[in-house]
Structure formats: structure tokens, C-alpha cells
Amino acid sequence: MAQESRIEIINKMGWRKEFVVDKPIVQIGRDARNDLVLDDGMENGIAPRHAQLLPSSVNRQGLRLINLSDKDILVYAQGGKTEVNQLLSRPPSATVTPRSSGEIGSGDL
């Protein structure tokens, strides 16, 4: 990837973590073999192989999120350091349903 991308992942309990995306294909999930391991110490529905991030074919500065799980992934545009309660009180900008994909961009949560 030409420029460093960062994503921030937040769960409903307030656990949040920022990751650097530094590979063309990034595996995300609970399993330790993933590039981004989502282990917040709780059984929270994160699949062993939950999602993938790929370069976007639509937006040169964005990423394509592929949902490999059986749960919706909610995307909130330009979240910044918003509190989780404030974030969840507004509708998501996109919902990536199971076994589908969607575009995400810089600053999305």
C-alpha cells in the first residue's frame, strides 16, 4: 500500500483498538493467526475469521471490507474519538451484512 492506513475497531462494551493496515490483504478475527487479532477478553461474537480488508477498486484512498462472519458489521463515518454511547445512538453510515462487502474510508469506525 502506498500510504499507511489506520482503522479503529470498537465493540458495544467500549473496547477499542487502533490498527495499522500495512498489507494488501488483511485478515481480521479472533484466531491468533489473523493479521488483526480481535481478542477483548470476552465472548462477543467475533468469528475466528471475521473479515478481510483489501484495497478498494472504487476509492483509491479507501478499503473494501469483506464480512466473513454471520453477524452484521456496522460502519460509522468519520467517528474520531467519539464516545461509544454517542456513536451507537446515531445510525451507522453503512451496514456490511454477512457474506457481503462494503467500502470504508479513512476515519471510519
Side-chain angles (χ1 to χ4, degrees):
M1 302 183 102
Q3 108 183 21
E4 181 181 274
S5 297
R6 294 178 176 273
I7 62 166
E8 184 172 12
I9 299 173
I10 303 172
N11 76 7
K12 292 180 181 179
M13 303 299 291
W15 177 90
R16 59 194 318 158
K17 188 168 182 180
E18 186 175 281
F19 296 94
V20 173
V21 178
D22 58 359
K23 296 173 68 177
I25 299 175
V26 177
Q27 304 290 337
I28 302 170
R30 192 177 65 236
D31 190 288
R33 294 173 288 182
N34 287 296
D35 301 306
L36 304 182
V37 178
L38 302 180
D39 181 11
D40 61 3
M42 300 178 192
E43 184 58 43
N44 56 17
I46 298 172
R49 284 196 54 193
H50 201 79
Q52 288 180 327
L53 289 175
L54 307 156
S56 172
S57 60
V58 177
N59 177 359
R60 291 183 67 139
Q61 304 217 340
L63 296 166
R64 176 157 290 275
L65 173 68
I66 300 172
N67 185 349
L68 303 173
S69 77
D70 61 357
K71 308 246 188 260
D72 288 348
I73 297 176
L74 305 178
V75 178
Y76 294 88
Q78 302 297 319
K81 292 296 178 190
T82 307
E83 291 296 319
V84 174
N85 290 340
Q86 293 172 335
L87 188 67
L88 295 176
S89 69
R90 66 181 201 219
S93 56
T95 299
V96 182
T97 58
R99 311 289 181 225
S100 70
S101 66
E103 297 292 317
I104 61 173
S106 179
D108 287 351
L109 301 172

